[in-house]
Amino acid sequence: MTRSDFTTPEEVNEVYRRRARFYDWSVNAYYLIGFRWWAYRRRAIAALGLQPGATIVEIGCGTGLNFRLLRESIGPSGRLIGVDLSTDILEQARQRIAANGWSNIELVHARGAEYDFPSSVDAVFSTFALSLEPRFDEVIAKAAMALMAGGRFVLLDLRMPDNWLHNLAPVLVWLVRPFAVSLEVAKRQPWKSLQRYFPQYSYQEGYLGLVYIAIGQMNRLTR
Ligand SMILES: C[S@@+](CC[C@H](N)C(=O)[O-])C[C@H]1O[C@@H](n2cnc3c(N)ncnc32)[C@H](O)[C@@H]1O
């Protein structure tokens, strides 16, 4: 495996160390080629079904692009924990939190697979990040153990489509190489773990199967 394959957390960390300051700008640049990420972020956040006061963990939170919308859903009494591998990315997130005066967001420097979820988590969220963790299956298994009855794990990510676009794999991967996606990363299928560990599961796709939202939910308690 060569270094440019970006498959290990160390390689991913190095990519984000270099990109941290320009991350928000580069995400928005994809609008120029028609990817309207915000519509998917909003849809994924709505799928979390958050209530005011909820505790939510975001794995691979990046610079905190989701924080404002998540915070609007959980309100000032809720708790948001952002977990990320990269200290440089987390510094950008810290600046966003400070600039907005948000007091109920904690940042944790950890690799997803090494993170121990607190007890009583209402929701787990991850956008464009979990496929970068080779041990994504462990993350999902641990999240399922930590979630309360009725709790949800919502995953928004890119995937290699099953259709004719598959033939364009090298081009598709090249488009997202700035975010440490490699052919090897594109083969990962975290939504299948979600399906395995959660008793309730739903899945939707967009952009010809390039992007998906997968939702796992724990059963509610019955009286
Ligand atoms: C494409 S960015 C997405 C950031 C944010 N979720 C968003 O939607 O803007 C991927 C993020 O995942 C983080 N990341 C990658 N691998 C990780 C891992 N194994 N554990 C925790 N974070 C990871 C990176 O540092 C980066 O901030």
Side-chain angles (χ1 to χ4, degrees), residues 12 16 23 41 60-62 84-85 89 111-112 127-129 133:
V12 170
Y16 283 94
Y23 176 80
R41 288 181 195 278
C61 65
D84 203 283
L85 177 75
I89 282 280
R111 177 179 170 182
T127 61
F128 310 112
E133 167 55 81

Side-chain angles (χ1 to χ4, degrees), residues 9 12-13 16 23-24 27 41 58-66 83-87 89-90 110-113 126-135 156 179:
V12 170
N13 190 26
Y16 283 94
Y23 176 80
D24 292 1
V27 167
R41 288 181 195 278
E58 182 177 1
I59 299 290
C61 65
T63 61
L65 284 178
N66 296 319
V83 180
D84 203 283
L85 177 75
S86 160
T87 47
I89 282 280
L90 285 175
R111 177 179 170 182
S126 188
T127 61
F128 310 112
L130 200 59
S131 52
L132 295 171
E133 167 55 81
R135 286 159 57 199
L156 163 63
F179 299 101

